[in-house]
Amino acid sequence: MAELVTTAAKLDAWRATIPGKRVAFVPTMGALHEGHIRLVERAAEIADAVVVSIFVNPTQFGKGEDFERYPRTLENDLALLGDLADVVYAPSVEDVYPPDDPPVVTSAGPAGAGFEGASRPGHFDGMLTVVNRLFDIVRPDVAVFGQKDAQQVFLVKRLAAERGSPEIDVVRTVREDDGLARSSRNRYLSAEDRAAAVAVPAAVWAVARDIEAGVSAALASGRAVLASQPLARLDYLELVSPTDFTPVGEDFHGVATLVVAARFGNTRLLDTETITVP
Ligand code: PAF
């Protein structure tokens, strides 16, 4: 079983027992599922020791978002992790944000304003602030993130480049048998919405299939898939440049990132895929 520590001081003490070891870090908000386990397995492959954090970060939730409702399942999470991780850091809000040591608020800037940032104002500032703080506490050599949250990955890579550490390792999205990307939020879907949600990966596949016809045609195909599903409300479906996360035009050639968000009931689902535009 992984060692459970609840304070940065105890994590420091553990850190001092493994001098010279390469440490991989998987930050999470708990409610772990197979997708997280893949990240932890990857972390174990690329380092000598693995730290997983479980912290529902209040600063990345906006007013009326699901902070209170966010599942807190520490016992299940620990059982699921087994001994895949060496340490689980599950701190209190005060441990991460001590009142006498306010965090450096990290701004996501324009790259955090569109897409997820547009429907969740301030979300990426809060996410970067906690990730920066957790990097300071854990001091990992490498941190592992899931590809599904493409905008988060883009912003965290930029943060790590600015700080000069850690390395960022990105793990491909884990999907259910019907293609739906694994997410803690899938559990909020009604049975009807869950069945309809297969339209999200279907839209991704439609873009990949039709990209030969050009950016606009491929995006139109993807959007049409979601438009034909009455339970889906499309938020965005765009191809963005991996260098600045802005939408690419018809003249773009090379590797782009497809980002999709759609609502089913009150649940927002995200998906992403790397698409080569010929
Ligand atoms: O992706 C998440 O679960 C969160 O945004 C993260 C990276 C753990 C920061 O709270």
Side-chain angles (χ1 to χ4, degrees):
M1 202 69 154
E3 185 182 341
L4 175 65
V5 305
T6 54
T7 65
K10 289 209 172 107
L11 190 67
D12 251 0
W14 169 79
R15 202 72 180 66
T17 65
I18 52 156
K21 291 259 166 88
R22 181 170 158 86
V23 174
F25 175 42
V26 184
T28 81
M29 297 206 301
L32 302 184
H33 52 71
E34 186 57 31
H36 294 106
I37 297 303
R38 285 285 171 86
L39 304 186
V40 181
E41 284 170 350
R42 172 69 183 158
E45 271 166 36
I46 59 176
D48 306 312
V50 176
V51 178
V52 173
S53 64
I54 296 182
F55 179 61
V56 185
N57 172 38
T59 68
Q60 69 189 77
F61 288 81
K63 275 210 176 84
E65 285 194 343
D66 53 2
F67 174 67
E68 301 300 342
R69 200 166 74 108
Y70 202 85
R72 286 152 174 91
T73 57
L74 185 59
E75 266 183 36
N76 277 349
D77 293 346
L78 292 174
L80 200 60
L81 282 169
D83 52 14
L84 276 178
D86 296 270
V87 168
V88 173
Y89 172 53
S92 62
V93 172
E94 291 71 31
D95 197 62
V96 176
Y97 301 120
D100 57 350
D101 179 16
V104 179
V105 176
T106 314
S107 167
F115 304 108
E116 283 312 282
S119 49
R120 305 185 67 189
H123 165 71
F124 285 122
D125 295 348
M127 181 281 292
L128 284 176
T129 299
V130 79
V131 168
N132 196 33
R133 181 43 72 102
L134 291 170
F135 284 171
D136 285 344
I137 294 172
V138 178
R139 290 178 285 118
D141 297 285
V142 57
V144 183
F145 285 82
Q147 177 200 23
K148 184 174 69 67
D149 298 307
Q151 196 170 8
Q152 169 165 285
V153 166
F154 173 84
L155 293 166
V156 167
K157 277 186 171 169
R158 196 183 62 185
L159 170 74
E162 280 163 14
R163 293 169 46 102
S165 77
E167 292 164 33
I168 303 298
D169 193 275
V170 180
V171 172
R172 270 188 74 74
T173 303
V174 179
R175 296 181 180 278
E176 304 288 353
D177 288 345
D178 64 0
L180 183 66
R182 289 260 170 108
S183 164
S184 308
R185 294 203 162 132
N186 292 353
R187 69 183 73 185
Y188 300 139
L189 294 167
S190 67
E192 232 188 343
D193 285 335
R194 171 62 190 83
V198 75
V200 178
V204 172
W205 299 327
V207 174
R209 182 194 63 213
D210 292 346
I211 195 63
E212 297 279 336
V215 168
S216 311
L219 291 177
S221 294
R223 289 175 189 142
V225 170
L226 281 156
S228 68
Q229 170 46 257
L231 295 178
R233 272 169 299 138
L234 175 63
D235 189 348
Y236 58 77
L237 183 148
E238 286 290 351
L239 276 165
V240 299
S241 154
T243 53
D244 59 7
F245 223 83
T246 58
V248 301
E250 205 54 43
D251 55 347
F252 179 89
H253 302 286
V255 177
T257 306
L258 176 67
V259 286
V260 189
R263 241 174 233 282
F264 293 79
N266 290 327
T267 307
R268 249 173 97 68
L269 299 181
L270 306 186
D271 208 333
T272 187
E273 207 42 83
T274 300
I275 306 272
T276 301
V277 185

